[in-house]
Amino acid sequence: MLVSSIPGSTCFPRALALLLAVLALGEPSLASEHVVEASTDDGLVEALQRDLRSKYPDKRRRSVKKLAACGGERAMELVLGALDDPCAEVADEAQLRVVAFEPDGVVDELLGKSGLRSKDRWIRLRAAEAIGRLEGPIDAERIVRVLDKRDPEVLRATFWSLERLAQRDALTGDMEKVVDRIDPFLTQRADDGARAVALQAIVRIDANQGRRAVERMRGIEDRETACSVLQAMMTLESGMAIGVVERAASADDPGVRMQAVELLKHCARRQTLDVLVARLRSESRPAIRERVVAALRWLTGFRHGDKVDAWAHTVRSLPVMWKPGDVKNAYAASGRSRGSVAQIRRLQPGSDRLAILVDFSGSLWNVKGDGTRRKDLVDPEVVGLLERLNQKGSFFLVPYTGEPHPMTEAPIDATPFNVRKAQRFFENATMRGKGNVYDAIDVALSFDSVDRILVMTDGAPTGGRRWNLDLMVPLLLERTRFRPVIFDFVLFDAPSGLARRWEELAEETGGRSLAVRF
């Protein structure tokens, strides 16, 4: 029996549901709550326009928010203009708030020179994502007419928007023509993941054409396409889906194995448990083993750890007609904790392909009343974590400020020599600046071998082109849905609101979050 992954099913994966149905701030409620008639107070709009020229980013951001509440054509033009603000705090706000205006007007702008036809790549990228949060009906034929293969990242974001709109039944137009315009992109190279997302868009727009596309793409070996095919088969409830996913749990590519294990968590048949136990018995990668254990816990309700014999005994004892019970997500039950800095030394790497990202922004250097700095307290904990790395694996150490400062150009073997070198590098590191976590994560994700990312931060992004976590978390979930990775966070004195968003990302990817108070 295949558990439906169509929205409405109680077993639909939370992360995928989050990506397809809403962005974190509540899609499309932002638009429906704030669409109003044009303000009759032209003076207010003019005053807010002046605020958009302020040298203070926070004032410009608040102006964007107020303009969205005003409504009207002039306010919409000003919010769209803020998409190219050099400060991410302002541009992110504009990206979120642009959907607050009347759809008929804003869609013209987002598909035109103020959006997808802009010469500025970041405006195109922001517009491509925002389209997916508009209230329908939206003419899908108009969207596919502006698809441009020359900009793969924008192309991927546009496919994602089509996917989300289709999932909400918010698209209009001749869907056969729409699919015909998307279909050629299925044959293009998928280094950027656009092909993988194009498949998901077709599946959501027309299930029958989606099935034909899946059959054509089965056997393609690049990771993101293979993972997308598996997800599409589960969404379409293909009769052979479970068998294909079960076999994929033994794929050569570790990312495909990790994706298959996650999907098997939503398969309600006895044989799936045997497949998971067999995977646990033979799997060498710690991060994937952790996923297997989590899947077994999710399905059975038993709380065994990484002990294959215990799981084998438990599964053998289950009745032949076993069905999964209504059990709580094991990630949510055990992935979050709070405590002191001393708890970091008990944090296990959880991977033999680990990336360690550490926020070197100003708060790391703040001097406490006793004369110590947070850096002085963090140093021995990072040194200890490096000592606990699997010497047969690899690691990637990346302090970051306004830009990433990786110790090496790529992950390196966790030999004793390299570990000692990394320890000295970290203890002697003195870089300072803003905290651009998004680009640091992007660098780590660029290496296929990395299957787990540990981020140590105060929780507040302060540099780079991404600032707002209401955008950043869903964007990272989308970025990694066909490139499986686990996110862990150590949050230093992070405000509760920011901590909750990072905890969400950790929970959705099967990771851990530790809130530390100094």
Side-chain angles (χ1 to χ4, degrees), residues 257 279-289 352 390:
R257 295 203 302 274
R279 182 73 258 144
L280 187 62
R281 192 176 298 281
S282 60
E283 181 58 59
S284 62
R285 300 283 290 270
I288 303 178
R289 294 182 68 87
D352 58 355
N390 185 333

Side-chain angles (χ1 to χ4, degrees), residues 47-63:
L48 293 173
Q49 181 179 4
R50 289 193 296 271
D51 289 346
L52 282 177
R53 295 192 291 269
S54 170
K55 66 179 180 179
Y56 301 107
D58 184 60
K59 189 172 186 178
R60 301 201 302 274
R61 181 183 63 80
R62 285 186 276 111
S63 177

Side-chain angles (χ1 to χ4, degrees), residues 51-100:
D51 289 346
L52 282 177
R53 295 192 291 269
S54 170
K55 66 179 180 179
Y56 301 107
D58 184 60
K59 189 172 186 178
R60 301 201 302 274
R61 181 183 63 80
R62 285 186 276 111
S63 177
V64 168
K65 187 174 181 180
K66 292 174 183 177
L67 284 165
C70 286
E73 184 175 349
R74 181 55 183 156
M76 179 183 70
E77 291 173 355
L78 293 171
V79 172
L80 283 162
L83 289 173
D84 72 345
D85 195 286
C87 178
E89 179 178 352
V90 183
D92 276 2
E93 190 71 36
Q95 184 175 342
L96 287 168
R97 296 289 169 180
V98 72
V99 300

